[in-house]
């Protein structure tokens, strides 16, 4: 995932970033604290962690890759937020071996759920890192987007396989172990004891539009960003989004 501060890359992140920033702003107002404690599970090289730290928050990134954590350290230093970003090697399975249970105002779980053996348990684990009032930002691969992408590429058998497979996989060579519907992700969030604050489709059109068109047509990028934002909240487009974003809120946090 790309840094939401980069214009071209914002096609893939703008919707999530807007929802996340709004949720963090509401937490700041509710807590009366300018700086929140944010946990980014699987945060890699800091594509979201560094922009969140730029807002003034303290971010702990847990990732299994030493190379990603090295890149995170470098990126945070270049952005002038090294004092607010901490990288820890680990994964969702052993999360509380490396971070505090119930110690965070917000938890980001982006691109993680696809790779855990039990996605429902994975959500329950990251939710356990939240304070009594907090927010979860959950981003995962969408089933419909994969089906549509395989079909448009002419791989009709693989598209059908993804549609029928319980994990949404199009074949043995599929690098993604799990894909989800919006209803499945919402059920995971509610099953972990949170209220579903919002559901958004991410990359509804961005992965289907030729890059050369976006890069060369005047005003195309801005227009596509606005189209993505407009479609993101509409349930009809959740079924064809490449990714799905669910904002979960602890009981009472959404009323702040």
């Amino acid at each position: 995932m790309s840094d939401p501060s980069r214009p071209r890359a914002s096609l893939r992140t703008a919707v999530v970033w807007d929802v996340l920033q709004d949720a963090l702003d509401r937490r700041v107002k509710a807590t009366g604290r300018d700086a929140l404690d944010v946990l980014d599970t699987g945060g890699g090289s800091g594509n979201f962690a560094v922009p969140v730290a730029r807002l003034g928050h303290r971010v702990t990134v847990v990732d299994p890759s030493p190379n990603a954590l090295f890149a995170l350290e470098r990126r945070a230093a270049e952005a002038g937020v090294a004092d607010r970003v901490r990288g820890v090697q680990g994964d969702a399975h052993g999360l509380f071996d490396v971070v505090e249970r119930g110690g965070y105002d917000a938890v980001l779980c982006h691109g993680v759920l696809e790779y855990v053996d039990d996605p429902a348990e994975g959500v329950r684990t990251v939710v356990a890192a939240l304070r009594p009032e907090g927010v979860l930002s959950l981003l995962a691969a969408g089933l419909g987007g994969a089906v549509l992408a395989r079909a448009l590429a002419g791989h009709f058998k693989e598209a059908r396989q993804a549609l029928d497979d319980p994990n949404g996989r199009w074949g043995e060579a599929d690098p993604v172990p799990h894909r989800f519907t919006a209803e499945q992700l919402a059920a995971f969030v509610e099953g972990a004891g949170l209220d579903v604050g919002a559901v958004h489709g991410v990359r509804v059109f961005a992965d289907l539009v030729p890059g050369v068109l976006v890069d060369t047509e005047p005003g195309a990028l801005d227009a596509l960003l606005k189209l993505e934002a407009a479609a993101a909240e509409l349930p009809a487009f959740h079924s064809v989004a490449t990714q799905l974003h669910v904002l979960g809120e602890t009981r009472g946090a959404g009323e702040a």
Side-chain angles (χ1 to χ4, degrees):
M1 185 166 294
S2 304
D3 188 329
S5 66
R6 299 175 185 173
R8 181 65 178 87
S10 64
L11 275 174
R12 295 173 177 265
T13 61
V15 170
V16 178
W17 178 246
D18 288 347
V19 175
L20 176 61
Q21 187 170 5
D22 178 68
L24 294 175
D25 288 346
R26 286 189 284 110
R27 284 282 82 218
V28 165
K29 292 176 182 178
T31 61
R33 291 185 282 112
D34 292 334
L36 302 176
D37 294 303
V38 178
L39 175 64
D40 188 354
T41 61
S45 60
N47 296 326
F48 274 87
V50 168
V52 168
R54 285 197 195 108
L55 298 178
H57 305 305
R58 297 177 292 269
V59 187
T60 298
V61 175
V62 176
D63 196 278
S65 169
N67 290 337
L69 294 174
F70 178 77
L72 167 70
E73 184 178 353
R74 184 174 64 246
R75 177 180 284 184
E78 291 172 352
V81 294
D83 59 327
R84 295 197 292 275
V85 176
R86 179 173 72 103
V88 181
Q89 189 172 0
D91 56 32
H93 179 70
L95 186 62
F96 299 117
D97 293 336
V98 295
V99 300
E100 179 186 357
R101 185 183 296 268
Y104 298 89
D105 301 290
V107 172
L108 280 59
C109 184
H110 295 173
V112 173
L113 213 59
E114 296 91 328
Y115 302 98
V116 300
D117 293 335
D118 186 340
E121 177 61 26
V123 175
R124 289 193 293 269
T125 297
V126 297
V127 166
L130 285 173
R131 288 176 172 148
E133 290 191 356
V135 295
L136 168 70
S137 176
L138 179 64
L139 181 68
L143 169 62
V147 173
L148 184 61
R150 301 316 289 175
L152 290 178
H155 303 301
F156 305 120
K157 290 182 179 179
E158 291 180 351
R160 178 61 186 269
Q161 171 68 19
L163 190 61
D164 293 339
D165 186 81
N167 292 316
R169 304 187 74 229
W170 47 256
E172 291 299 322
D174 191 339
V176 180
H178 300 280
R179 291 186 180 88
F180 309 94
T181 65
E183 292 76 15
Q184 285 175 317
L185 293 178
F188 293 154
V189 169
E190 291 175 339
L194 301 186
D195 291 328
V196 174
V199 179
H200 290 84
V202 179
R203 291 157 57 188
V204 175
F205 307 104
D207 291 351
L208 304 177
V209 175
V212 64
L213 174 63
V214 178
D215 292 333
T216 60
E217 186 73 19
L221 176 60
D222 184 59
L224 183 53
L225 281 168
K226 290 178 179 177
L227 178 61
E228 287 278 354
E233 294 187 48
L234 300 177
F237 289 99
H238 294 169
S239 60
V240 295
T242 299
Q243 292 179 305
L244 294 162
H245 183 251
V246 179
L247 186 72
E249 300 175 314
T250 56
R251 312 296 189 211
E255 301 171 5

